[in-house]
Amino acid sequence: MNKIMKINVEKQHLNVEHNEQSILKIEEAEIIVMGKGNNMREAYNAAFDEMKKAAYKKFNNFIIHLEPLNVISIADDTYLNSKRLLGVFLPYKKIKYQLKLKIIVRAKYIEIV
């Protein structure tokens, strides 16, 4: 019975917070980023790290939540580089991946004046 009462109190508390004027701002933006890596996972990680940096520069406020709404691939390139150890021995191939993405993000932030 105590658990039921706690749940009802929490719901009432949430309703009170929504009735007050909020300082939380919500904005959507389109960010174009590039990512490079030795495999696709590294390339996507690099691109999303770039997206975070670009979002912090663009909004220039205290970001609470950053949510990608859509990810569109603009360019997806693969580079193959053949090398030989000491010019003659042991040929090997090295593959590099490069991505260019358009990411639409929704940022929730507190505007600091």
Side-chain angles (χ1 to χ4, degrees):
M1 189 165 176
N2 288 336
K3 291 180 183 178
I4 294 172
M5 293 175 82
K6 287 181 182 178
I7 292 171
N8 290 336
V9 170
E10 288 176 8
K11 285 183 180 178
Q12 289 173 357
H13 183 65
L14 288 176
N15 289 337
V16 170
E17 288 180 354
H18 287 292
N19 290 336
E20 296 175 7
Q21 190 173 6
S22 177
I23 60 170
L24 187 68
K25 306 288 184 190
I26 300 172
E27 192 174 331
E28 291 181 7
E30 184 177 291
I31 299 172
I32 297 176
V33 293
M34 290 185 64
K36 296 178 184 178
N38 293 331
N39 55 36
M40 287 298 262
R41 183 176 297 248
E42 286 181 14
Y44 274 103
N45 278 340
F48 276 90
D49 284 343
E50 242 351 90
M51 184 260 315
K52 287 182 212 171
K53 291 176 187 175
Y56 280 108
K57 284 181 184 176
K58 181 173 180 65
F59 295 113
N60 199 18
N61 284 303
F62 184 70
I63 295 179
I64 303 293
H65 183 73
L66 193 61
E67 176 186 5
L69 298 176
N70 199 358
V71 179
I72 301 164
S73 179
I74 296 173
D76 185 1
D77 298 322
T78 305
Y79 299 102
L80 177 64
N81 191 2
S82 297
K83 292 185 177 181
R84 291 179 180 264
L85 184 63
L86 297 174
V88 198
F89 304 107
L90 299 171
Y92 67 95
K93 297 176 182 176
K94 196 168 187 178
I95 300 174
K96 297 259 183 178
Y97 297 92
Q98 183 175 346
L99 303 168
K100 188 172 185 182
L101 303 173
K102 179 167 66 170
I103 304 173
I104 300 168
V105 294
R106 177 183 296 147
K108 295 180 183 179
Y109 61 92
I110 297 175
E111 191 168 34
I112 300 172
V113 181

